[in-house]
């Protein structure tokens, strides 16, 4: 590599803005590009007007510009095979090939593999038709969890408290096609009780390293009530698991999973995300994602005390340092991210509201990560459901939480909604139901 490295981040959301920010801050001073990015990233990256799912245009750009690394943000780009397309033109990608991405793009594939490997996960059944789903639900114990097999932008999971709610979900997804092809197959899981945690793993297919455990807040409203969303906020490190427990969990799960993929001649290079439920009988895997979490990335990346760029390059090249295997990426302090959402989210968000306060003077440790943001007539306006992630880093979780909500008070747009209890239960030591 000669001169400053060139990096392309694929995607346009808050996760991608956090990646752009972390790479922009690298001591190697890389030239950072984002495709398509959003106007809130323009101070740290050059935005390239190519959709994250336009494989032909992204590959053509990479062929011309020859970036040293492409970081794949969204699940849709992984599932379409962007890493495969880039491999054909010898451009390194931090993101798994399509076959490895099936861990996320097919819930039934992931569950079957976990079952084969005897990894701890909830008992489940797979329904290939509405009639089959109804037969399973007729004899079920409630609450029960229904998951669309395919990608559903964070809207493919329903925790049904009673049979009527479960049957309504079957009707909406399987009979009326509310999630398209993603909802044609249904994974029906036993409901697990405990505390959730997100474990993010950087891997080159064999070696792996851990980021600090994070805690997402999926439900739309305070007290973990309301519909599931893509995530209304996150904090890191989570209260549980401890660092030692996180390494033990990862060794139990990651090593056999990567070995099983290698046995199928699949090298997994990128981020493995494990959604965990820490139950009274031990940690269980709720889900596997094939990329950074959103909003977990916005809480984890600001904590890093070492440059992620060399690690990303090593993972993409299959050469993470063996002496770092099973260790943490160096980090310090705590961070809290509060998501500001548009009115109507997570249903039909209303957009076009002018966003005020983004230019507020920010003390060190405060970041505004733009997600659903557009520029109209020279002003930034809301352009999606989750508009902004307000992140604060501090020495303790309590101070980070105070700073994050102070920073939230600087932002205004019509109908702005957000949870007021992100990390509240964690800092007080009370368990979250």
């Amino acid at each position: 590599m000669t001169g400053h490295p060139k990096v392309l981040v694929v995607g346009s959301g808050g996760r991608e803005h956090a990646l752009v920010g972390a790479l922009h801050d690298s001591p190697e001073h890389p030239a950072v590009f984002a495709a398509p990015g959003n106007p809130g990233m323009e101070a740290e990256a050059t935005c390239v007007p190519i959709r994250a799912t336009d494989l032909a245009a992204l590959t053509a750009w990479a062929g011309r510009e020859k970036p040293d690394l492409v970081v794949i943000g969204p699940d849709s780009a992984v599932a379409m095979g962007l890493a495969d397309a880039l491999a054909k033109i010898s451009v390194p990608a931090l993101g798994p090939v399509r076959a490895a991405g099936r861990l996320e793009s097919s819930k039934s594939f992931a569950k079957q593999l976990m079952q084969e490997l005897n990894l701890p996960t909830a008992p489940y059944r797979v329904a290939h038709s509405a009639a089959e789903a109804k037969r399973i639900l007729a004899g079920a114990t409630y609450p029960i969890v229904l998951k669309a097999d395919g990608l559903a932008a964070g809207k493919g999971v329903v925790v049904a408290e009673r049979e009527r709610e479960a049957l309504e979900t079957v009707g909406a997804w399987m009979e009326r096609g509310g999630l398209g092809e993603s909802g044609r197959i249904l994974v029906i899981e036993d409901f697990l009780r405990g505390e959730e945690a997100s474990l993010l793993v950087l891997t080159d297919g064999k070696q792996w390293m851990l980021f600090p455990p994070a805690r997402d807040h999926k439900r739309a409203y305070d007290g973990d009530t309301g519909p599931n969303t893509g995530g209304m906020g996150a904090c890191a490190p989570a209260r549980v698991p401890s660092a030692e427990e996180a390494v033990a969990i990862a060794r139990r799960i990651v090593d056999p999973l990567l070995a099983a993929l290698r046995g199928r001649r699949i090298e997994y290079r990128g981020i493995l995300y494990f959604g965990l439920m820490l139950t009274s009988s031990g940690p269980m895997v709720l889900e596997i994602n094939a990329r950074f979490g959103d909003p977990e990335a916005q809480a984890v990346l600001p904590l890093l005390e070492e440059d992620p760029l060399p690690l990303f390059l090593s993972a993409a090249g299959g050469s993470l340092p063996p002496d770092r295997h099973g260790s943490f990426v160096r980090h310090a302090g705590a961070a809290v991210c509060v998501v500001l959402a548009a009115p109507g989210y997570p249903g039909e968000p209303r957009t076009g509201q002018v966003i005020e306060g983004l230019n507020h003077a920010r003390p060190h440790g405060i970041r505004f990560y733009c997600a659903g943001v557009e520029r109209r007539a020279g002003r930034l306006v809301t352009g999606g459901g989750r508009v902004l992630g307000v992140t604060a880093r501090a020495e303790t979780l309590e101070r980070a939480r105070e700073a994050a909500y102070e920073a939230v008070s600087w932002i205004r747009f019509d109908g702005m909604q957000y949870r007021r209890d992100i990390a509240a239960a964690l800092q007080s030591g009370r368990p979250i139901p």
Side-chain angles (χ1 to χ4, degrees):
M1 197 185 306
T2 57
H4 296 301
K6 184 185 290 189
V7 184
L8 174 68
V9 175
V10 175
S12 61
R15 163 185 50 220
E16 287 77 31
H17 195 176
L19 285 162
V20 160
L23 292 164
H24 174 267
D25 292 346
S26 166
E28 296 190 33
H29 303 293
V32 182
F33 297 81
N38 70 55
M41 300 181 190
E42 288 171 351
E44 298 163 304
T46 302
C47 291
V48 180
I50 302 173
R51 294 192 324 276
T53 51
D54 190 342
L55 260 60
L58 287 170
T59 308
W61 186 93
R64 284 193 312 272
E65 299 292 333
K66 297 184 170 42
D68 298 288
L69 179 67
V70 174
V71 180
I72 303 174
D75 49 19
S76 55
V78 171
M80 291 186 75
L82 178 55
D84 308 68
L86 292 168
K88 289 177 182 173
I89 58 170
S90 302
V91 172
L94 186 75
V97 293
R98 187 175 185 174
R102 286 189 69 206
L103 288 170
E104 177 170 13
S105 63
S106 173
K107 299 281 191 298
S108 57
F109 170 77
K111 293 292 283 190
Q112 183 181 344
L113 187 56
M114 284 190 277
Q115 191 175 48
E116 286 175 13
L117 298 173
N118 197 28
L119 299 182
T121 190
Y124 74 103
R125 303 273 298 276
V126 178
H128 292 84
S129 69
E132 188 178 5
K134 290 173 182 177
R135 281 196 299 273
I136 295 169
L137 293 169
T141 301
Y142 289 82
I144 200 164
V145 182
L146 288 79
K147 295 182 177 180
D149 185 57
L151 303 178
K155 298 176 182 176
V157 179
V158 168
V159 179
E161 297 290 342
R162 50 190 62 85
E163 187 177 7
R164 178 182 168 188
E165 189 181 354
L167 293 174
E168 285 172 356
T169 302
V170 170
W173 294 356
M174 302 188 84
E175 294 176 332
R176 296 191 294 279
L179 295 177
E181 287 302 311
S182 292
R184 299 294 181 196
I185 298 173
L186 203 60
V187 174
I188 301 172
E189 285 185 354
D190 287 5
F191 178 75
L192 298 176
R193 296 188 186 278
E195 189 159 336
E196 289 187 51
S198 303
L199 208 53
L200 301 172
V201 180
L202 175 70
T203 182
D204 62 4
K206 191 169 186 179
Q207 318 288 345
W208 53 266
M209 298 175 67
L210 282 176
F211 294 97
R215 173 70 159 87
D216 189 8
H217 298 65
K218 285 284 187 198
R219 295 296 187 99
Y221 311 131
D222 290 355
D224 275 341
T225 59
N228 265 338
T229 71
M232 292 299 292
C235 58
R239 184 184 65 200
V240 288
S242 68
E244 295 77 15
E245 289 166 339
V247 172
I249 292 167
R251 289 192 184 282
R252 168 81 174 86
I253 296 168
V254 182
D255 285 326
L257 197 60
L258 293 177
L261 292 175
R262 289 197 305 274
R264 299 173 184 221
R265 298 190 177 181
I266 300 169
E267 288 283 338
Y268 191 110
R269 296 180 180 180
I271 305 296
L272 267 171
Y273 166 120
F274 296 96
L276 303 174
M277 183 66 80
L278 306 172
T279 74
S280 56
S281 55
M284 308 280 274
V285 180
L286 287 179
E287 63 175 340
I288 303 175
N289 292 336
R291 35 71 189 180
F292 269 108
D294 184 339
E296 290 95 336
Q298 294 93 299
V300 166
L301 290 170
L303 296 181
L304 301 190
E305 291 278 280
E306 64 178 305
D307 183 3
L309 179 55
L311 295 176
F312 287 179
L313 285 164
S314 295
S319 59
L320 275 177
D323 62 334
R324 300 291 301 276
H325 178 68
S327 70
F328 279 92
V329 181
R330 287 192 294 277
H331 61 279
V336 171
C337 173
V338 180
V339 169
L340 309 184
Y345 180 77
E348 293 297 323
R350 298 198 300 277
T351 59
Q353 285 83 22
V354 174
I355 305 167
E356 298 176 345
L358 286 173
N359 294 325
H360 193 286
R362 274 170 268 171
H364 181 70
I366 301 293
R367 294 263 195 170
F368 294 157
Y369 292 124
C370 293
V373 171
E374 296 175 357
R375 180 174 282 112
R376 295 184 194 170
R379 304 190 73 176
L380 292 183
V381 302
T382 61
R386 292 187 295 172
V387 176
L388 202 66
V390 176
T391 294
R393 175 187 175 178
E395 291 177 11
T396 66
L397 196 63
E398 186 171 17
R399 288 181 182 174
R401 185 173 185 274
E402 290 172 1
Y405 279 102
E406 168 69 17
V408 165
S409 73
W410 307 335
I411 306 294
R412 285 184 179 80
F413 56 85
D414 288 346
M416 183 173 92
Q417 57 169 325
Y418 61 94
R419 281 183 56 167
R420 289 160 175 79
D421 63 346
I422 302 300
L426 277 76
Q427 71 170 28
S428 65
R430 289 184 289 110
I432 293 178

